[in-house]
Amino acid sequence: MAFQIHSLGGYLHEYQKSVADPEGFWEDIASTFFWRKRWDKVLDWNFEGPDVKWFINGKLNITENIFERRLYTHGDQTAIIWEPNDPKEPSTRITYKELYEKVCNFANVLLNNGVKKGDRVAIYMPMIPEAAIAMLACARIGAVHSVVFAGFSATSLADRINDAGVNTVLTTDGAYRGAKPLSIKPIVDEALEKCSSVNKVIVFKRTSEEVQMKNGRDVWWHEETAKVSSENKAEVMDSEDMLFILYTSGSTGKPKGVVHTTGGYMVYSSYTFRNVFQYEDGDVFWCTADVGWITGHSYIVYGPLLSGATVVMFEGIPTYPDAGRFWQVIDKHKVNQFYTAPTAIRSLQAFGNDFITPYDLSSLKLLGSVGEPINEEAWRWYHTFIGKGRVPIVDTWWQTETGGILISPIAGVTPTKPAFATLPLPGVQPIIVDAEGKELKGNGVEGNLCIKFPWPSMLRTTYGDHERCRQTYFSTYKNLYFTGDGVKRDEDGYYRILGRVDDVINVSGHRLGTAEIENAINEHTLVIESAVVGYPHDIKGQGIYAYVICEDLAKNQRTEKVLVNEIIETVSKIIGPIAKPDKIMLVSGLPKTRSGKIMRRILRKIAEGDGSNLGDTTTLLNPEIVDEIKVKAGL
Ligand code: WTA
């Protein structure tokens, strides 16, 4: 494969080339793709706008690069191996040719239902091949997909639909995840009560549970696909046309729609897939993420399929029917590259090694980690018991906004170090700054992680609100993209990500804004005010700790326990079960500065179980509250 790096020398050479001449470097890689019209200029950029454009005036369709580019040579190769939730249900294999036909067929369904180029389509589906087909069919006709993780609540779904002005929703009747079937369509129905822009819902039958179909709005996937052919001419897109929107949480209450465009995302997701995972033709690659997250977009769907890879797509969860499920699937499908999150690793580690022993894991050539810092203990367990000390681990650091992996070892090529994301990939120029934005040069430094030069798959804007994009990522430090992460560069020059430095918490690899959770808690009628902080959690990485001021309980006929449960339910209903607080402390006040700002640093310390280093609390508006909270926390 062109541009695949095979040696440390090769990496150093490519890296230097990518910094000395970024345009030339990416132009060579982009030239290996199929463009309807070549670009006039490789890059235009400034980080003030921000305004970043790659492969200017280039015309293409990303699905032609997955299908037409390779059908003659790769048509019969398996694209997706689908492993259902229930191990007794047979797995299925879909070849590139079959996938191509399904994508074209569903593209025609979309057109037939009035979806046009540029329209936004929400995808609220479980992990079934149709979720990938839905995404690719949108890309085929130039509609913009917005995949919403099917664990989000009706309110979260409605907010995302309204923010993007979605007119069509693709969903299923229900889902299988773990022991009990879940309802999906009723959540969509509830969401759509608040969404006037949606006029069409296409429903795939997965569980055959009975669902309400609204006349004129809801249609069945299987009936629609039968009406149209499997031939479709791809829409010609501009390199900078929107490919998708993906919502993610930030410091403020409202999730933002990160926008990715076509040409740059295509080039970068495929390049990084090939290199980081050292994927070779014929390998079986498995990324356990959900397609509702960026990891699923870039490393289940686009990166691998653009590279002609065979991917496993798994419907279930790591612990059903038991905690050996991942290892059984690796054995069953002879998986070569396995990519998962530290949370999953830690939780499976806690179940003990008896769940691993029955399975043959010798097919593995690589293990990957993504989504949150991996602690050294989990890294070593993964390395020793899953990789049998034999295979490299790639700890890949990146974000929804970056579109693809930015800092990571290249498997078997560049060195690894437990808990370190190690070195930037070619084309990536990280810089560490202090709070004032001064560059911290050399090794052995710690500060905030920024990127100083554009890479092809970086976000272009936040949907409908460019100013918010500028404010969030490009205004903290002049002429730099600010990641929101703290980082250390050790004596050897390796990067270790230290976690978020903003008000974002990372729970089981899922990003949640503290303000977003507070807003949800405050929806409970008895809540007056709340403050949410993250605290270290053995399995989830970070847990959610909420301090809540509420109305008089006795007067409102509540016990503390009842209220706490009601608050948890409220959050689950408004955001989704992933945002449920792990701990709630009812307090009579929150520590505030004289200007009324909540002192989160103090709340964080107490949540960590550290009551000693709280700093000077005498200048607070209400210093006595700190003692009350400490006593309640048993400190
Ligand atoms: C964190 C997931 C440490 C980080 C791809 C980042 C990581 C946020 C790593 C983005 C890693 C991701 N080591 N931390 N290897 N990978 N993160 O948008 O804080 O869901 O800013 O993208 O996850 O989360 P997101």
Side-chain angles (χ1 to χ4, degrees):
M1 171 80 184
F3 303 104
Q4 196 153 340
I5 296 167
H6 292 294
S7 67
L8 184 56
Y11 161 74
L12 295 170
H13 178 261
E14 291 298 299
Y15 189 79
Q16 273 152 18
K17 196 167 102 187
S18 77
V19 174
D21 176 18
E23 279 96 335
F25 175 81
W26 288 114
E27 176 157 62
D28 286 349
I29 296 165
S31 299
T32 64
F33 290 84
F34 171 59
W35 298 77
R36 291 288 194 98
K37 176 187 162 292
R38 202 178 159 88
W39 50 91
D40 300 330
K41 191 172 176 219
V42 177
L43 172 66
D44 246 345
W45 72 285
N46 70 70
F47 279 175
E48 268 135 37
D51 188 10
V52 176
K53 292 193 180 85
W54 282 92
F55 312 115
I56 296 149
N57 291 331
K59 306 285 175 201
L60 75 160
N61 186 288
I62 196 166
T63 70
E64 286 190 329
N65 281 278
I66 294 175
F67 299 117
E68 279 91 337
R69 182 164 62 131
R70 286 217 174 72
L71 274 186
Y72 292 110
T73 52
H74 283 65
D76 294 328
Q77 193 196 305
T78 304
I80 298 177
I81 301 173
W82 180 63
E83 177 65 30
N85 174 60
D86 182 351
K88 290 192 219 77
E89 188 179 336
S91 52
T92 52
R93 283 174 177 260
I94 305 173
T95 65
Y96 271 88
K97 188 160 172 293
E98 288 161 349
L99 186 63
Y100 173 59
E101 282 163 7
K102 285 174 190 285
V103 167
C104 287
N105 179 235
F106 198 69
N108 289 334
V109 167
L110 292 174
L111 292 171
N112 206 30
N113 279 281
V115 182
K116 296 183 303 300
K117 178 176 179 175
D119 286 356
R120 276 79 57 217
V121 174
I123 300 177
Y124 188 76
M125 294 177 86
M127 286 289 285
I128 53 176
E130 284 69 21
I133 292 166
M135 291 163 76
L136 296 172
C138 287
R140 185 87 183 166
I141 67 164
V144 178
H145 59 70
S146 166
V147 184
V148 179
F149 172 57
F152 275 123
S153 67
T155 312
S156 291
L157 174 60
D159 289 346
R160 285 158 175 76
I161 287 174
N162 288 332
D163 189 76
V166 161
N167 63 13
T168 303
V169 179
L170 311 177
T171 189
T172 63
D173 49 356
Y176 293 119
R177 257 176 77 77
K180 280 195 304 257
L182 306 170
S183 290
I184 298 284
K185 178 67 166 47
I187 300 175
V188 174
D189 291 337
E190 189 188 333
L192 293 190
E193 284 169 20
K194 294 183 222 131
C195 305
S196 56
S197 58
V198 174
N199 51 39
K200 194 62 77 177
V201 180
I202 307 180
V203 189
F204 182 81
K205 204 175 251 192
R206 171 62 184 124
T207 57
S208 295
E209 72 169 79
E210 214 174 295
V211 295
Q212 304 274 334
M213 295 293 276
K214 188 170 166 186
N215 230 335
R217 186 192 74 183
D218 302 351
V219 293
W220 286 107
W221 185 295
H222 60 273
E223 289 176 5
E224 294 305 298
T225 50
K227 289 181 194 161
V228 292
S229 84
S230 299
E231 272 167 47
N232 174 280
K233 202 158 160 283
E235 185 70 42
V236 179
M237 305 300 289
D238 188 88
S239 177
E240 281 300 330
D241 275 342
M242 251 191 284
L243 177 64
F244 64 85
I245 306 172
L246 188 56
Y247 283 84
T248 189
S249 297
S251 310
T252 52
K254 197 171 141 239
K256 48 188 173 287
V258 168
V259 170
H260 284 288
T261 56
T262 308
Y265 179 81
M266 170 179 79
V267 170
Y268 197 81
S269 61
S270 169
Y271 176 78
T272 51
F273 171 73
R274 274 280 177 176
N275 277 301
V276 170
F277 303 108
Q278 290 288 297
Y279 184 88
E280 302 285 346
D281 284 342
D283 284 348
V284 175
F285 177 84
W286 181 18
C287 164
T288 68
D290 191 281
V291 286
W293 310 114
I294 190 69
T295 310
H297 282 59
S298 300
Y299 299 110
I300 296 177
V301 181
Y302 290 107
L305 298 181
L306 281 161
S307 309
T310 299
V311 290
V312 173
M313 192 174 181
F314 176 48
E315 184 182 33
I317 57 170
T319 49
Y320 177 80
D322 63 44
R325 183 67 161 132
F326 273 1
W327 323 129
Q328 182 247 332
V329 174
I330 292 175
D331 185 353
K332 179 175 177 186
H333 297 298
K334 301 292 167 238
V335 170
N336 300 112
Q337 291 93 356
F338 178 68
Y339 189 33
T340 196
T343 296
I345 298 167
R346 286 190 295 261
S347 75
L348 295 176
Q349 178 182 5
F351 279 94
N353 294 355
D354 289 351
F355 288 100
I356 312 171
T357 358
Y359 304 109
D360 174 9
L361 304 180
S362 63
S363 57
L364 288 172
K365 300 202 269 189
L366 162 139
L367 297 171
S369 168
V370 59
E372 47 180 318
I374 178 165
N375 48 312
E376 208 165 321
E377 196 200 341
W379 195 99
R380 293 206 183 278
W381 180 82
Y382 198 32
H383 188 251
T384 309
F385 296 103
I386 306 305
K388 316 289 180 197
R390 200 173 47 78
V391 306
I393 295 181
V394 292
D395 177 359
T396 64
W397 173 83
W398 58 298
Q399 310 179 297
T400 304
E401 295 84 347
T402 70
I405 299 166
L406 295 195
I407 303 182
S408 165
I410 294 181
V413 170
T414 60
T416 61
K417 205 177 213 185
F420 278 73
T422 72
L423 301 172
L425 296 180
V428 177
Q429 301 188 35
I431 155 171
I432 304 181
V433 298
D434 66 12
E436 281 70 50
K438 193 163 94 9
E439 176 168 8
L440 301 172
K441 294 197 176 134
N443 292 338
V445 293
E446 199 176 305
N448 292 340
L449 177 60
C450 296
I451 315 285
K452 65 179 173 200
F453 195 86
W455 62 102
S457 67
M458 68 184 294
L459 88 161
R460 301 298 195 264
T461 187
T462 46
Y463 191 81
D465 193 349
H466 193 60
E467 174 57 16
R468 187 159 178 216
C469 173
R470 193 189 67 76
Q471 281 274 345
T472 314
Y473 307 105
F474 299 92
S475 70
T476 319
Y477 305 113
K478 196 168 160 43
N479 285 327
L480 298 176
Y481 165 79
F482 176 41
T483 64
D485 279 320
V487 70
K488 160 175 153 181
R489 188 164 52 218
D490 75 355
E491 297 303 336
D492 299 324
Y494 292 165
Y495 291 82
R496 177 181 189 148
I497 308 299
L498 303 171
R500 305 287 306 194
V501 295
D502 53 9
D503 289 327
V504 169
I505 41 189
N506 193 327
V507 183
S508 302
H510 306 321
R511 271 167 72 172
L512 295 161
T514 53
E516 191 184 350
I517 306 172
E518 287 161 9
N519 289 348
I521 292 174
N522 298 349
E523 287 288 310
H524 190 289
T525 46
L526 297 187
V527 171
I528 298 169
E529 195 181 2
S530 62
V532 165
V533 295
Y535 72 99
H537 187 287
D538 284 348
I539 304 287
K540 300 184 189 182
Q542 280 191 296
I544 301 171
Y545 202 124
Y547 298 87
V548 178
I549 309 174
C550 61
E551 311 266 357
D552 188 289
L553 288 181
K555 262 197 218 147
N556 289 286
Q557 291 98 39
R558 300 288 209 291
T559 61
E560 194 160 324
K561 201 163 156 229
V562 168
L563 181 71
V564 163
N565 283 333
E566 285 177 8
I567 293 174
I568 292 174
E569 274 322 300
T570 307
V571 174
S572 182
K573 188 142 185 13
I574 293 176
I575 305 177
I578 53 172
K580 282 184 187 175
D582 297 279
K583 292 186 185 169
I584 295 181
M585 185 194 283
L586 300 184
V587 293
S588 68
L590 294 166
K592 288 190 177 168
T593 62
R594 289 187 187 275
S595 60
K597 200 165 161 266
I598 297 172
M599 289 293 285
R600 285 167 196 280
R601 189 178 46 78
I602 293 177
L603 296 176
R604 247 181 250 127
K605 280 275 174 214
I606 295 174
E608 281 166 18
D610 178 0
S612 56
N613 302 306
L614 301 181
D616 182 10
T617 54
T618 54
T619 56
L620 291 178
L621 192 65
N622 49 355
E624 70 291 346
I625 210 71
V626 177
D627 293 323
E628 178 197 312
I629 295 177
K630 267 167 68 176
V631 169
K632 249 199 139 167
L635 296 170

